[in-house]
Amino acid sequence: DMNGYELARRLRALPEFSGTMLIALTGYGQLQDKVRAREAGFDLHIAKPAEPEAILAALAQVRVAGAEHPGERADERVN
C-alpha cells in the first residue's frame, strides 16, 4: 500500500515532477499533519471538509505559479 505522503516523496524524487505543485486534500488538519505533509513534499495542505473557496484559491496559485515560474516549486522562489 502507498499513502499520499509516500506518493509525494516518490514524485519529488523524480526530476520530471520536481516542479509540480502537490496539494494534500485530507481529513487530517492538525499542525503535525500539516508539518508531515510539508515534509513529504506537498506544497499546500487543505483539510476536509474543504471550502470551495479554499480549493479555488489553491488552483489559482497553481495557475499563477505556472505562469510566473514554470517548473519551480513555490517554496523555491526567491522574492
Side-chain angles (χ1 to χ4, degrees):
D1 273 345
M2 184 185 315
N3 61 30
Y5 300 117
E6 183 61 27
L7 176 61
R9 283 186 201 92
R10 289 185 185 194
L11 288 173
R12 288 290 178 230
L14 299 172
E16 62 267 32
F17 291 103
S18 65
T20 302
M21 181 174 275
L22 300 178
I23 302 171
L25 180 60
T26 175
Y28 301 100
Q30 299 297 318
L31 178 59
Q32 66 266 23
D33 302 314
K34 294 176 183 181
V35 169
R36 186 175 177 201
R38 189 69 174 170
E39 289 173 347
F42 285 101
D43 297 289
L44 296 173
H45 181 277
I46 301 173
K48 294 185 225 176
E51 294 294 328
E53 295 81 14
I55 295 171
L56 291 173
L59 293 175
Q61 286 185 27
V62 172
R63 285 194 300 269
V64 169
E68 294 177 3
H69 304 279
E72 182 179 56
R73 284 184 52 190
D75 63 343
E76 293 174 336
R77 288 190 204 119
V78 177
N79 292 324

